[in-house]
Amino acid sequence: MNSSKSPGLAGFGVLKNSTCHTEKKISVFFSIIFMTAGILSNSLAIVILMKAYQRFRQKSKASFLLLASGLVVTDLFGHLINGAIAVFVYASDKDWIRFNQSNILCSVFGICMVFFGLCPLFLGSVMAVERCIGVTKPIFHSTKMTSRHVKMMLTMVCLFAVLIALLPILRFRAYQIQASRTWCFYKTEHVEDWEDRFYLLLFSCLGFLALAISFLCNAVTGITLLRVKFKSQQRQGRSHHFEMIIQLLAIMCVSCICWSPFLVTMARIGINGGRSKETCETILFSLRMATWNQILDPWVYILLRKAVLKNLYKITRGCCGVQVINLHMWELSSIKNSLKVAAISESPGSSKQINLQPLSSMGQ
């Protein structure tokens, strides 16, 4: 019954000796709240992205819009599919033996959990790399980072995430029903086989690698923006620098805070194996923390924009009574202005162009 190599019966051994007891009403409440919040926030982000794409069709912004669209669409389907399966499991009183005799639902659930967990992390790292290239190498970005290349990157990221999710099935290792009986994932209880430990470590290492790439690229982008800002000593780029630095800090904080508990928990189980002291409650808490990342993604990447920061500035200035940034600095397009400032700073006649730019912008 406990053998992970018999797909028809895999995972049912945990149902008899489960020591994890969750309050049904509270668990259903969490599932419904997470699913609803994720669907609403990501749907709103998709609408905003569509409007932004219709208004701004610059080549420099096309790659960002495509990657951001891929991220929020992935998060949206993740909440729809995983949330619907979770609610169905609760509605069926978590009686897996009755509705999962062939283990098909658990396999689908496990594949979706892995895919929709890794894919947003991969897309976040790709967005960080794209933004880093756009700021540090604007000419290369404008000539080489075309929409076709971005679509190819999106396809490759999704295919790689699908391959990782299907790897246990291809190796005839069924996904396991977890101790709480509410979700399916890699085997996390009584892990002794090296392959079960490998899957947990692979998932954790890939997640940490994506976070590390995002952190490094965002750090380079932030440092570059600050250097350009202090080098130019002009007002034209400050609004965009302020906006970008706030976004970068939010992206890094949200991703690290939300995903680190789950990745660390899976890594500890993979390293310690059957000697792991992780409890069911700890795993569930870390899983819910990771779910919050998919809810907050659209608010960080899309909704934390110029207009929001503008209103926050007004509120802060009204409370503190200190004028830090002039409001007319928000007039220029943020992404277009970033590329202009970065290109000017790297060009030979940067000082002359910088001195002439404010006059031309005021004339417009």
Side-chain angles (χ1 to χ4, degrees):
M1 294 288 287
N2 288 325
S3 175
S4 59
K5 291 192 176 184
S6 55
L9 298 174
F12 287 109
V14 76
L15 301 182
K16 293 184 177 181
N17 300 319
S18 175
T19 58
C20 181
H21 302 283
T22 57
E23 186 67 29
K24 180 178 179 181
K25 292 183 178 179
I26 297 178
S27 300
V28 172
F29 174 78
F30 273 120
S31 298
I32 294 176
I33 290 297
F34 287 163
M35 183 177 67
T36 304
I39 291 173
L40 291 178
S41 59
N42 285 283
S43 299
L44 180 59
I46 292 175
V47 173
I48 293 176
L49 275 174
M50 292 175 61
K51 291 183 177 180
Y53 190 79
Q54 293 174 358
R55 290 181 57 192
F56 305 102
R57 292 181 178 270
Q58 299 98 331
K59 190 175 183 180
S60 60
K61 197 173 182 178
S63 57
F64 173 80
L65 291 175
L66 286 175
L67 291 173
S69 299
L71 177 68
V72 296
V73 169
T74 302
D75 287 339
L76 175 63
F77 278 100
H79 281 287
L80 278 173
I81 298 175
N82 291 339
I85 297 177
V87 172
F88 171 77
V89 171
Y90 281 116
S92 303
D93 202 23
K94 299 185 287 187
D95 188 4
W96 288 88
I97 299 178
R98 177 172 59 86
F99 59 78
N100 192 51
Q101 289 290 337
S102 60
N103 204 48
I104 295 178
L105 182 62
C106 185
S107 297
V108 172
F109 202 181
I111 292 172
C112 291
M113 290 293 293
V114 174
F115 173 79
F116 291 113
L118 288 178
C119 198
L121 289 175
F122 293 160
L123 290 176
S125 62
V126 172
M127 289 182 70
V129 172
E130 183 272 337
R131 186 175 296 129
C132 183
I133 296 174
V135 172
T136 58
K137 303 292 182 182
I139 298 177
F140 174 83
H141 182 274
S142 61
T143 56
K144 302 298 182 181
M145 193 71 68
T146 62
S147 298
R148 182 173 64 89
H149 293 149
V150 174
K151 292 177 181 178
M152 290 177 59
M153 287 191 296
L154 280 172
T155 304
M156 292 175 62
V157 168
C158 292
L159 289 178
F160 182 67
V162 168
L163 177 62
I164 298 300
L166 290 176
L167 193 58
I169 305 299
L170 298 176
R171 291 283 304 169
F172 301 101
R173 291 266 175 167
Y175 281 94
Q176 299 288 310
I177 302 169
Q178 301 302 300
S180 62
R181 302 193 304 168
T182 58
W183 61 299
C184 292
F185 200 65
Y186 301 124
K187 188 175 182 179
T188 57
E189 284 197 337
H190 310 294
V191 180
E192 301 294 345
D193 192 275
W194 70 268
E195 193 169 351
D196 293 327
R197 301 170 70 171
F198 169 76
Y199 293 138
L200 293 171
L201 291 175
L202 178 65
F203 183 89
S204 300
C205 290
L206 290 176
F208 280 124
L209 179 62
L211 290 177
I213 293 174
S214 300
F215 181 85
L216 291 176
C217 291
N218 290 334
V220 172
T221 304
I223 293 173
T224 303
L225 289 174
L226 288 174
R227 289 179 59 188
V228 172
K229 172 185 175 181
F230 291 121
K231 182 186 294 186
S232 64
Q233 294 296 324
Q234 297 293 328
R235 292 181 176 180
Q236 65 177 35
R238 291 188 181 179
S239 62
H240 175 67
H241 297 326
F242 181 75
E243 176 187 5
M244 286 297 295
I245 292 172
I246 292 296
Q247 286 184 348
L248 295 175
L249 290 175
I251 290 168
M252 288 188 292
C253 291
V254 170
S255 297
C256 292
I257 292 174
C258 291
W259 270 104
S260 292
F262 188 77
L263 295 176
V264 169
T265 301
M266 294 299 107
R268 291 178 62 178
I269 296 175
I271 294 173
N272 297 325
R275 296 174 286 105
S276 177
K277 303 297 183 180
E278 303 296 333
T279 63
C280 171
E281 289 76 11
T282 302
I283 297 176
L284 276 179
F285 174 78
S286 61
L287 176 65
R288 287 165 180 166
M289 287 286 293
T291 305
W292 270 106
N293 184 77
Q294 294 178 325
I295 297 174
L296 296 175
D297 266 344
W299 297 91
V300 174
Y301 285 106
I302 309 300
L303 302 182
L304 193 58
R305 301 178 301 159
K306 186 169 55 178
V308 178
L309 296 176
K310 192 183 204 178
N311 293 329
L312 290 176
Y313 163 75
K314 291 179 180 180
I315 296 173
T316 304
R317 191 181 64 168
C319 296
C320 301
V322 178
Q323 184 171 353
V324 181
I325 304 172
N326 292 326
L327 292 180
H328 73 273
M329 298 189 318
W330 299 94
E331 293 176 0
L332 297 178
S333 174
S334 59
I335 294 181
K336 180 179 178 182
N337 189 48
S338 171
L339 294 176
K340 281 185 178 181
V341 174
I344 288 172
S345 65
E346 294 185 356
S347 62
S350 59
S351 59
K352 295 181 180 180
Q353 293 180 17
I354 291 174
N355 291 330
L356 293 175
Q357 186 65 27
L359 296 177
S360 61
S361 61
M362 289 176 63
Q364 294 176 357

